[in-house]
Amino acid sequence: MVVSRRWERLGSRRPFLSLPLWLQSRMLRQVLREGLRTSFYKLGHFVANHPVFFLSAPVLVSILLGASFSRYRVEENMEHLLAPKHSLAKIEGKLVDSLFPVNRSKHTLYSDLQTPGRYGRVIVTTGRGNVLDQHHVDQILELHSAVTMMQVHVLGFNYTFAHLCLLDDNSSCIVDDILHVLEELRAAWASNRTAPPLRYPITTLQDGREAYIGHQLGGVQQGGRKSVRSARALQLTYHLQAASPLNDMVATRWEAQFCRALERYQASHPEITLYPFTSSSPQRDFQKTTKVSECPLLVSLCLCVSLAVLCCSMRDCVRTKPWLGLLALVSVGLATLTSAGIINLAGGKYNSTFLGIPFIMLGHGLLGTFEMLSSWRRTREDQHVKERVAAVFSDCMLPFTASTALYLVTFGIGASPFTNIEAVRLFCQNTCISVLFNYLYIITFYGSNLVFTGYMENNYQHSLFCKKVPKPELLLQKPAWYRFLMYTQFNEEASELGDLRTYESHLLVAFMKRYYCGWITNTYVKPFVVLFYLVYISFALMGYLQVSEGSDLSGVVATETSTITYTKAQQKYFSSYSPVIGFYIYESIEYWNASVQEDLLEYTKGFERISWFESYLGYLRSLNVSTSLPKRDFTERLRSGFLKQPQFLHFSDDIIFGRLADSEVDVVASRMFLVAKTTENKREEMHVLLDTLRKLSLTSRIKFIIFNPSFVYMDRYASSVGAPLKNSCIAALFLLFFSAFLVADSLVNVWLTVTAASVEFGVIGFMTLWRVELDCVSVLCLIHSVNYAVDSCGPLLSTFALGRECTRTRWVKLALERHGVPVLQSCLCHGAALLPLAAVPSNLTGTLFRCLFLTAFITLFHCLAILPVLLTFLPPSKKKRKEKKGVESRDEIECVEMVDSTRVVDQITTV
């Protein structure tokens, strides 16, 4: 091999041993790089020798694996997908369930607090009216009656709410406390007596029991002593049993019937507005994104195909390659079909986040295919097709392989078991499979199609009709329309200048070479580009400082759905108070001790409280009894006196008694309920509240935990979402560092690192300004941003670094001429494919569009503007070298005879 002979020759010379270490390492990098290029050259020869096999094999594999769509399944558990797998909230939830199972909770507040289960929920609003006036109270109670009488037919039986509801100690269905309030109001109006006072957020019912109604009345205007003057919204919740598969099936159908019944009631009562919501609404609306995306995805495909074909077309009917533009997308489609088949065979389940995988593959695959086509245009037309294909592989496959390896490493880190969010892990896992097959199919399928189109070009056949193009003297005898369709340029003589001019009829190539390269390197343009880059950094920094988390489930569902309308109504009318937080004391403490009582009251100070402990202390004070009783008296009065009172009887579910070794009864565990006053930034305040109470639980002598089902999504969400991005960036950095020996100049990796960081910083900043929060979808797009930046800028930087004999400006122009057009073509096709996503009524696709579009645009800005300007005055430097004539610098001549179908050429190449 020529490379090995050169290395042996260099090593045998004594002056080589005295070279500096940096020069030896540089020569070693060049040898390794040439060795890899030679390997890809041979691979290109192998593909060109067997084009039929490499064309048919990917198609057959894709068809066979695509048949596995009969096993297509959808993931239905949103908590499994979007909640952190390993979090303290899940451990606390299991402890809460073991201490206070749902069947011990005889109140909807408690059942909703521990586990939502199956339920139907509706918000009733009256615009500017008052839901507590007589007319609206009658309507709400009528609505409640219609819901409870609604029937669901399953397996020959008619089920109503009475068959599915949670039961209290009297075997009656548990309903919201606000319904008891409304019934009391209606009874008072019917008997012409004064209505009982209604306080907010904790009111006293007719039986003397205190009830929290902060989440049942919304838009409240209060008078004196927390009394309610009016309310604009009211929320009702109907909890269902789902203890068995049959119960769960019936409850699921009841939820669907519940939504239809509310739609009918809304149509007949337009003066009120209903916002229905069920436990299955988020999952249904999450998967609805796939359905509403079907038509825009078809438009996206048509736009991308059209633009890809146009980007590969030119005036010359022989050298134009419209089929290669189409076949580039076919390669990506086959890789998508193959990876989907593998996922189905492996038992994987589909979810809506997978919509982003084809667009990531599109950005990577199109750039690789356009680079191959650009390299094909730089080969000599008098070469044999096999030599031209081998030269293309030698020129393009090394950077394309490196960028594919970077994709596999960064997304492979995200696919590891250490990723705490299942949706992110599954997305990264499937992306790795797709990118790998995309790489293989571009080498095989696209490479074999390049061979066939090359033979057509060498035979001067029309690229569309495959018809032989007549010679110029014969073409002049044809009609004008025929001459227009069959226009081409015959190159009977092999000249490099003629080859280059042949392809200048391509619009983008001509624009880049004749106009743009000279303009962007103009001395008067450079200051404005640098100034524009500083403005870009300033706005990116402004957005970066405002990054917020997106743990709200409404960020990943379709927009025109019940989930979004319900969430907006809830934020509008019920954002004054936080979710009910369970305060669980999971071990025995000295409740009778005055200092413990003070600590416990101090911890819950500032909250709206529903506490057996405070009620018991008030009960003792009402009897003129000290609260610091001996242990036995304190416990006995609690069991025999306090919990026997009708108004305090419901507190029996909040206390667990245990018998000690000396047969003495003690309180071994208990719970209380806290509600915090919140503002519009409810989610951020809940994060702060959760962290504060967690830290307090670690330092307090009272061992307690706090829990709410929403904590499962909030707990460690920021670290869980950000961890894959951080790990992927670190992995990319290490890969760029350790791969420095594969490039001709180590500064290439430095530039790639800086460029990727600049692109990533800009995408994060501008997506925040575009109202995109940091959630699992945006993080996946940010991982792609690192890869896309390196993928696009790598060839341009490598070409610039390899140049030695010309000035910086000259090599910047050459790098742009060679690689600027492929980057521009891929960004145009990728951006056109993304545009229809903006019209999809879904928050998930909206996040995909904004992040991926910003990635493509900012990367294009760096490749075509920032890097060309900065490289004209920043390292690596360009030093002119004078050639030394002598024995040591003589050229080795290798003669290769090539037999073509049309001519025999003696090619003389200098090595």
Side-chain angles (χ1 to χ4, degrees):
M1 193 172 65
V2 178
V3 175
S4 60
R5 291 201 305 269
R6 180 188 295 180
W7 180 253
E8 292 173 359
R9 185 171 66 253
L10 289 173
S12 63
R13 297 176 182 175
R14 295 184 62 184
F16 175 77
L17 300 177
S18 60
L19 292 176
L21 183 60
W22 66 269
L23 188 56
Q24 294 183 29
S25 64
R26 182 172 181 175
M27 295 177 68
L28 177 62
R29 291 198 301 269
Q30 290 178 348
V31 170
L32 290 174
R33 185 174 181 275
E34 289 299 326
L36 290 174
R37 285 172 58 90
T38 303
S39 301
F40 285 116
Y41 184 88
K42 293 183 177 180
L43 176 62
H45 253 296
F46 185 71
V47 172
N49 285 327
H50 308 86
V52 177
F53 171 77
F54 288 110
L55 176 67
S56 56
V59 177
L60 292 175
V61 171
S62 300
I63 293 175
L64 291 175
L65 292 176
S68 65
F69 270 91
S70 58
R71 300 187 178 186
Y72 174 84
R73 295 184 300 168
V74 176
E75 179 60 61
E76 298 181 354
N77 190 344
M78 282 193 69
E79 181 178 330
H80 172 71
L81 282 176
L82 302 176
K85 292 186 295 184
H86 309 290
S87 65
L88 186 58
K90 287 193 173 183
I91 300 175
E92 292 170 343
K94 292 180 180 179
L95 178 59
V96 168
D97 288 338
S98 64
L99 291 175
F100 299 94
V102 177
N103 58 8
R104 282 182 54 92
S105 304
K106 307 303 183 184
H107 195 275
T108 54
L109 171 67
Y110 306 156
S111 300
D112 188 28
L113 176 67
Q114 286 184 210
T115 172
R118 291 286 182 182
Y119 61 86
R121 188 170 287 164
V122 58
I123 294 177
V124 184
T125 64
T126 60
R128 297 183 179 180
N130 181 12
V131 295
L132 297 179
D133 60 28
Q134 187 171 358
H135 173 67
H136 290 116
V137 167
D138 291 338
Q139 282 187 328
I140 293 172
L141 292 177
E142 179 186 351
L143 172 65
H144 169 66
S145 177
V147 169
T148 55
M149 297 301 294
M150 185 178 64
Q151 294 184 352
V152 178
H153 185 75
V154 178
L155 300 177
F157 294 94
N158 291 325
Y159 292 88
T160 63
F161 178 69
H163 298 97
L164 302 173
C165 65
L166 297 175
L167 303 176
D168 58 13
D169 293 330
N170 299 323
S171 298
S172 300
C173 287
I174 300 173
V175 294
D176 286 340
D177 292 320
I178 193 64
L179 289 171
H180 299 304
V181 173
L182 297 183
E183 290 174 351
E184 293 173 5
L185 291 175
R186 186 168 65 174
W189 292 330
S191 58
N192 292 325
R193 55 185 175 86
T194 304
L198 179 62
R199 291 182 172 82
Y200 184 84
I202 297 178
T203 189
T204 302
L205 301 180
Q206 193 173 14
D207 58 2
R209 179 169 58 89
E210 288 188 342
Y212 173 74
I213 58 172
H215 293 160
Q216 298 169 19
L217 273 183
V220 174
Q221 292 184 356
Q222 292 181 284
R225 296 184 179 181
K226 294 187 176 182
S227 63
V228 177
R229 294 172 54 190
S230 66
R232 296 179 57 192
L234 184 142
Q235 181 171 240
L236 301 177
T237 304
Y238 300 90
H239 290 274
L240 309 174
Q241 297 182 26
S244 64
L246 177 61
N247 275 351
D248 188 69
M249 181 182 67
V250 176
T252 303
R253 297 191 182 183
W254 189 92
E255 289 179 354
Q257 183 69 17
F258 173 77
C259 294
R260 290 192 293 267
L262 293 181
E263 291 177 1
R264 292 192 298 268
Y265 193 85
Q266 172 74 80
S268 59
H269 297 80
E271 65 273 14
I272 63 174
T273 305
L274 304 180
Y275 300 95
F277 186 78
T278 65
S279 62
S280 56
S281 293
Q283 171 60 32
R284 183 183 64 250
D285 297 338
F286 176 60
Q287 297 301 343
K288 189 178 180 181
T289 298
T290 306
K291 297 180 180 179
V292 298
S293 301
E294 292 176 354
C295 290
L297 286 178
L298 290 177
V299 176
S300 174
L301 179 61
C302 294
L303 285 176
C304 192
V305 169
S306 303
L307 208 56
V309 170
L310 288 176
C311 286
C312 297
S313 301
M314 53 190 297
R315 177 71 177 87
D316 196 312
C317 70
V318 171
R319 295 172 180 84
T320 184
K321 298 289 186 294
W323 289 116
L324 288 183
L326 176 63
L327 291 170
L329 297 177
V330 173
S331 301
V332 175
L334 291 176
T336 304
L337 185 61
T338 303
S339 59
I342 292 176
I343 294 167
N344 290 330
L345 289 176
K349 295 182 180 181
Y350 175 84
N351 65 78
S352 293
T353 60
F354 290 177
L355 285 173
I357 296 179
F359 293 97
I360 290 178
M361 294 173 60
L362 197 65
H364 178 54
L366 283 180
L367 184 59
T369 55
F370 285 134
E371 283 283 357
M372 293 176 69
L373 186 57
S374 177
S375 178
W376 173 269
R377 295 192 182 109
R378 295 194 298 271
T379 58
R380 295 174 60 90
E381 290 189 357
D382 57 356
Q383 288 181 308
H384 194 278
V385 173
K386 296 178 182 178
E387 294 296 326
R388 296 183 73 180
V389 172
V392 168
F393 273 64
S394 176
D395 186 36
C396 298
M397 281 301 122
L398 181 57
F400 186 62
T401 303
S403 62
T404 301
L406 185 63
Y407 270 91
L408 294 177
V409 168
T410 52
F411 282 102
I413 292 294
S416 66
F418 301 103
T419 300
N420 204 17
I421 296 183
E422 188 67 10
V424 176
R425 190 189 69 81
L426 292 175
F427 185 97
C428 292
Q429 171 185 300
N430 298 334
T431 302
C432 285
I433 299 173
S434 301
V435 167
L436 178 61
F437 279 97
N438 192 28
Y439 171 75
L440 295 176
Y441 286 179
I442 286 176
I443 291 178
T444 56
F445 181 80
Y446 190 79
S448 61
N449 282 289
L450 189 62
V451 174
F452 289 122
T453 55
Y455 279 118
M456 292 174 59
E457 181 180 332
N458 269 23
N459 293 329
Y460 286 98
Q461 291 176 291
H462 197 284
S463 59
L464 286 178
F465 311 124
C466 302
K467 180 178 175 60
K468 184 81 173 180
V469 177
K471 294 290 184 179
E473 57 271 14
L474 298 177
L475 194 61
L476 291 175
Q477 303 174 6
K478 302 292 183 180
W481 64 269
Y482 190 87
R483 293 198 304 271
F484 176 79
L485 290 178
M486 291 297 181
Y487 170 79
T488 188
Q489 182 179 353
F490 282 83
N491 285 337
E492 297 296 337
E493 297 181 358
S495 64
E496 183 179 357
L497 183 60
D499 291 344
L500 293 177
R501 287 177 178 174
T502 299
Y503 287 105
E504 282 189 11
S505 61
H506 190 283
L507 180 63
L508 293 180
V509 174
F511 167 76
M512 189 65 65
K513 184 175 182 179
R514 297 176 185 176
Y515 305 104
Y516 186 78
C517 291
W519 178 79
I520 196 65
T521 55
N522 189 290
T523 305
Y524 299 101
V525 175
K526 294 178 185 178
F528 292 98
V529 175
V530 174
L531 179 62
F532 193 78
Y533 181 68
L534 294 177
V535 173
Y536 158 81
I537 290 294
S538 302
F539 277 93
L541 178 62
M542 182 173 63
Y544 184 82
L545 298 176
Q546 302 176 30
V547 173
S548 60
E549 300 172 16
S551 58
D552 192 355
L553 294 181
S554 62
V556 294
V557 301
T559 52
E560 298 176 1
T561 57
S562 60
T563 301
I564 297 298
T565 55
Y566 172 82
T567 302
K568 291 181 178 179
Q570 192 178 52
Q571 292 174 350
K572 181 178 181 180
Y573 298 109
F574 298 93
S575 60
S576 300
Y577 292 95
S578 71
V580 180
I581 302 171
F583 186 92
Y584 298 87
I585 303 173
Y586 56 88
E587 67 177 22
S588 179
I589 61 174
E590 298 178 351
Y591 292 97
W592 58 89
N593 190 307
S595 61
V596 173
Q597 293 175 2
E598 292 177 1
D599 290 344
L600 200 53
L601 293 175
E602 182 66 25
Y603 295 160
T604 58
K605 183 180 179 181
F607 293 92
E608 296 289 344
R609 301 171 295 276
I610 307 165
S611 169
W612 69 269
F613 183 71
E614 290 190 35
S615 299
Y616 180 48
L617 296 183
Y619 169 78
L620 292 177
R621 294 190 187 99
S622 65
L623 298 177
N624 294 325
V625 177
S626 173
T627 57
S628 301
L629 294 172
K631 176 181 179 180
R632 182 183 297 274
D633 294 342
F634 187 91
T635 306
E636 187 62 28
R637 284 181 179 271
L638 175 63
R639 295 179 62 198
S640 304
F642 176 74
L643 295 180
K644 299 299 183 180
Q645 301 295 321
Q647 65 271 28
F648 303 127
L649 186 61
H650 62 283
F651 285 129
S652 301
D653 297 323
D654 299 338
I655 306 171
I656 299 178
F657 293 99
R659 194 171 295 276
L660 304 180
D662 56 356
S663 299
E664 187 176 350
V665 177
D666 192 13
V667 178
V668 296
S670 67
R671 65 180 177 185
M672 309 165 196
F673 302 98
L674 312 177
V675 182
K677 185 74 174 177
T678 57
T679 60
E680 294 181 357
N681 298 323
K682 184 176 180 180
R683 189 173 58 196
E684 289 76 9
E685 292 178 356
M686 286 300 299
H687 279 285
V688 175
L689 182 61
L690 176 61
D691 293 338
T692 303
L693 291 176
R694 283 268 177 80
K695 293 176 182 178
L696 180 61
S697 67
L698 296 176
T699 59
S700 170
R701 62 173 177 173
I702 299 176
K703 302 302 178 183
F704 68 90
I705 60 174
I706 55 173
F707 182 72
N708 181 277
S710 62
F711 291 174
V712 174
Y713 294 95
M714 291 190 297
D715 192 16
R716 294 187 61 194
Y717 187 83
S719 60
S720 299
V721 165
L725 176 60
K726 295 177 184 177
N727 296 338
S728 297
C729 291
I730 293 172
L733 187 63
F734 272 94
L735 185 64
L736 291 173
F737 176 77
F738 287 112
S739 65
F741 65 90
L742 294 178
V743 295
D745 197 325
S746 58
L747 284 177
V748 172
N749 283 13
V750 175
W751 272 108
L752 282 177
T753 304
V754 174
T755 304
S758 178
V759 170
E760 188 80 354
F761 182 71
V763 173
I764 294 175
F766 282 95
M767 81 174 192
T768 304
L769 296 178
W770 209 349
R771 294 181 299 177
V772 175
E773 296 180 324
L774 192 64
D775 57 8
C776 62
V777 179
S778 58
V779 161
L780 293 170
C781 296
L782 291 175
I783 297 176
H784 165 65
S785 300
V786 177
N787 296 278
Y788 192 78
V790 174
D791 199 4
S792 302
C793 302
L796 187 143
L797 289 169
S798 298
T799 300
F800 177 81
L802 286 172
R804 289 288 180 267
E805 302 301 331
C806 298
T807 62
R808 295 174 183 270
T809 303
R810 176 57 183 159
W811 275 108
V812 166
K813 292 180 179 179
L814 288 175
L816 280 177
E817 290 174 10
R818 293 182 181 181
H819 305 290
V821 173
V823 171
L824 181 59
Q825 288 173 327
S826 64
C827 287
L828 286 176
C829 296
H830 194 206
L834 290 171
L835 284 178
L837 287 183
V840 179
S842 171
N843 291 329
L844 189 149
T845 53
T847 301
L848 279 176
F849 164 73
R850 295 175 185 181
C851 294
L852 295 180
F853 186 81
L854 283 174
T855 298
F857 181 77
I858 293 175
T859 302
L860 182 67
F861 169 64
H862 279 74
C863 286
L864 299 187
I866 300 302
L867 285 178
V869 170
L870 296 182
L871 288 175
T872 56
F873 55 85
L874 291 178
S877 61
K878 302 295 174 191
K879 297 180 181 179
K880 291 187 177 181
R881 300 179 181 178
K882 295 182 179 180
E883 295 184 359
K884 297 181 180 180
K885 296 183 179 180
V887 181
E888 295 181 357
S889 62
R890 70 178 182 272
D891 297 333
E892 295 184 4
I893 307 299
E894 180 182 1
C895 297
V896 181
E897 183 179 27
M898 301 178 59
V899 181
D900 197 350
S901 58
T902 58
R903 67 181 76 92
V904 179
V905 180
D906 287 334
Q907 180 195 6
I908 301 177
T909 57
T910 302
V911 181

